[in-house]
Amino acid sequence: MTEKRKSRPLMPAFTTIALILMHVKTNAQIAIANTEPDSSGRKWSAYLKGFVQADAMLDFQEFGAKDGIVAPSIVIPQHNSMSSYFSVRQSQIGLGLKQTDKNGDSPVSAYVEIDFYGPNGTTTPRLRHGYLQWKKWLIGQTWSNFTDAEIFPNIFDFNGANGAMLLRSIQVRYTEKLSDKETLSFSLEDPGKISMTIPKTHPEWKRKSLIPVATGMYRYGNARDYAKIGATLSPVNYENQEDGYTKIGFGGIISFRKYVTNLDDFRFQTSYGKGIARNNIVLSGEGYDAVFDPQKNTAETLSLFNIVGIYEHWWSPKWSSAAYYSYSQVGSSPTAGNGLMKRFQNAAINLIYQPYKNLRMGVEGNYASTENFEGKKSDAFRLQFSTSFSFK
């Protein structure tokens, strides 16, 4: 939870802001080792990628989350307490190893990446990605197949649009290239990411990991313009002291990015299903996949609807802006009034200055609101000033 602070005059707060560094995040990599090609033309190479990032946030209301906007964590009832927070925890370092054949293809590769988003506000390293790839197969932890990491815009906030489906999961994935513009992928993923809300009055019930989550994703397009459509089956397994039970969740996602001009692009994503909150960027692990109903002595999967719209514009080669709006709604349940959120939304706009390819700095304003199943509402506003330097 965010540390409570007494309200303070605006002038000292903005004096503090004037001294703050700003933020940046771009993908780049440094080659650190290469072997000579063998007799068949294959060679190995290692590379380093990531960025060092510094963030400073000024909150005008109380959030339960510090490093990124999490609308469901806004304190209810409304608490207008101004506070500031400084962080370098979003900094990321990744190490990759790949084999390249004489045609330039990479049939074998491995990648490991960490950030410094440790527990309890620490900067303890945390594993983000760790996987092996062999031809069409991927094994390890990376973005879920029921996810679109490409839609993530050029923003500063760690979470961004709260309605986005963005999850890292341990998985086995198979990808088939159907044509130059088409790919189809399937995966079996870790069921341990599924979470369920169980009343404290029924400790005999517990959720368990058993049947893996199954996903499928179809992508059409090129590196710039594309469309994706995906589906998932998400089993919720639970048991008491005598028997085990399974509820099958399901969901679908549609996502696309379209460049209107060379300076403007629009991104859109919508998703709906039951028992799929594990994939939501802010609801994963928070008990929104299912709730246990003591009256029926069974679990009920919760429905979730999300919609996200994003627009980006480059004012000049060094100046750009991104704006987005996100809305999410959780389905009703007789037992969902246990502090769970019924609906939440957030919107943001930023201004980024990029004097060099690997350096960005800027400011972002983010508004978020939430309402729980008891009808209580709260909203909050955050200003974020950030800078980052990516490896190049």
Side-chain angles (χ1 to χ4, degrees):
M1 297 297 290
T2 304
E3 182 182 350
K4 295 182 179 179
R5 301 173 185 265
K6 295 182 179 180
S7 297
R8 64 191 70 173
L10 284 177
M11 190 58 68
F14 284 107
T15 300
T16 301
I17 293 173
L19 302 176
I20 293 172
L21 290 174
M22 304 181 173
H23 149 36
V24 158
K25 192 153 69 168
T26 54
N27 292 322
Q29 64 185 46
I30 303 172
I32 56 177
N34 289 284
T35 65
E36 293 296 326
D38 60 19
S39 57
S40 60
R42 293 190 296 262
K43 66 178 181 178
W44 289 90
S45 60
Y47 61 91
L48 196 66
K49 64 183 295 186
F51 57 88
V52 177
Q53 177 176 310
D55 300 311
M57 283 78 86
L58 178 65
D59 292 335
F60 294 86
Q61 287 82 22
E62 188 172 357
F63 280 95
K66 289 185 177 181
D67 286 271
I69 290 289
V70 179
S73 78
I74 302 172
V75 173
I76 296 177
Q78 186 86 33
H79 188 193
N80 296 326
S81 176
M82 187 178 290
S83 63
S84 62
Y85 174 67
F86 296 76
S87 176
V88 295
R89 303 206 309 151
Q90 295 187 46
S91 301
Q92 300 170 13
I93 299 175
L95 177 63
L97 180 67
K98 65 180 180 180
Q99 183 189 69
T100 306
D101 61 24
K102 60 182 179 181
N103 297 320
D105 297 325
S106 181
V108 182
S109 65
Y111 184 69
V112 175
E113 181 181 287
I114 62 170
D115 62 17
F116 300 90
Y117 200 80
N120 303 318
T122 67
T123 54
T124 305
R126 178 187 67 161
L127 179 68
R128 288 174 54 85
H129 302 276
Y131 59 87
L132 301 172
Q133 281 186 290
W134 177 67
K135 296 184 178 179
K136 300 177 181 181
W137 293 91
L138 179 148
I139 302 174
Q141 176 173 299
T142 189
W143 298 117
S144 166
N145 193 44
F146 191 71
T147 279
D148 182 11
E150 295 179 84
I151 203 173
F152 203 82
N154 189 25
I155 61 174
F156 296 156
D157 183 74
F158 188 66
N159 292 315
N162 284 189
M165 303 300 265
L166 201 64
L167 169 79
R168 290 183 297 273
S169 178
I170 299 174
Q171 62 191 277
V172 176
R173 185 192 301 179
Y174 176 81
T175 302
E176 181 69 40
K177 187 174 182 180
L178 304 178
S179 68
D180 290 341
K181 290 187 175 183
E182 297 175 286
T183 59
L184 183 62
S185 55
F186 301 94
S187 72
L188 293 176
E189 303 188 6
D190 178 18
K193 292 284 187 178
I194 297 172
S195 62
M196 185 169 72
T197 297
I198 301 175
K200 294 181 180 179
T201 54
H202 290 266
E204 72 276 13
W205 289 94
K206 63 179 180 179
R207 197 206 65 81
K208 65 176 182 178
S209 297
L210 181 60
I211 304 174
V213 174
T215 79
M217 182 70 76
Y218 171 78
R219 185 187 191 278
Y220 178 85
N222 51 40
R224 282 165 54 96
D225 300 327
Y226 71 87
K228 287 184 178 182
I229 182 169
T232 183
L233 290 176
S234 184
V236 180
N237 303 289
Y238 59 104
E239 63 182 4
N240 58 16
Q241 297 175 350
E242 299 176 355
D243 299 301
Y245 304 86
T246 299
K247 289 278 186 170
I248 302 297
F250 61 90
I253 183 173
I254 297 174
S255 185
F256 71 82
R257 179 177 65 201
K258 173 65 177 178
Y259 275 81
V260 183
T261 70
N262 288 331
L263 302 176
D264 302 86
D265 71 88
F266 178 70
R267 310 176 192 205
F268 174 84
Q269 184 182 102
T270 187
S271 54
Y272 175 80
K274 289 189 173 183
I276 63 168
R278 72 187 291 272
N279 295 91
N280 180 272
I281 194 169
V282 298
L283 295 184
S284 183
E286 298 298 321
Y288 284 84
D289 290 294
V291 294
F292 181 76
D293 188 344
Q295 294 182 352
K296 297 181 180 179
N297 207 36
T298 185
E300 298 291 338
T301 54
L302 288 178
S303 65
L304 176 65
F305 168 74
N306 303 287
I307 188 167
V308 176
I310 303 165
Y311 175 72
E312 289 189 0
H313 173 73
W314 283 85
W315 305 98
S316 73
K318 295 183 178 182
W319 290 90
S320 67
S321 291
Y324 64 81
Y325 172 75
S326 168
Y327 175 84
S328 300
Q329 181 160 325
V330 179
S332 299
S333 171
T335 57
N338 233 358
L340 298 183
M341 297 299 118
K342 182 178 182 179
R343 60 175 62 92
F344 54 90
Q345 59 187 326
N346 73 311
I349 188 168
N350 64 26
L351 181 63
I352 299 171
Y353 176 56
Q354 190 167 334
Y356 304 103
K357 183 178 180 180
N358 56 337
L359 176 65
R360 297 188 317 162
M361 54 189 67
V363 59
E364 184 169 280
N366 202 316
Y367 169 81
S369 67
T370 189
E371 178 185 351
N372 64 20
F373 276 93
E374 299 173 0
K376 297 178 180 179
K377 304 177 182 180
S378 190
D379 59 7
F381 179 72
R382 168 178 288 176
L383 280 177
Q384 179 166 335
F385 302 81
S386 306
T387 208
S388 81
F389 182 84
S390 62
F391 303 157
K392 181 181 178 181

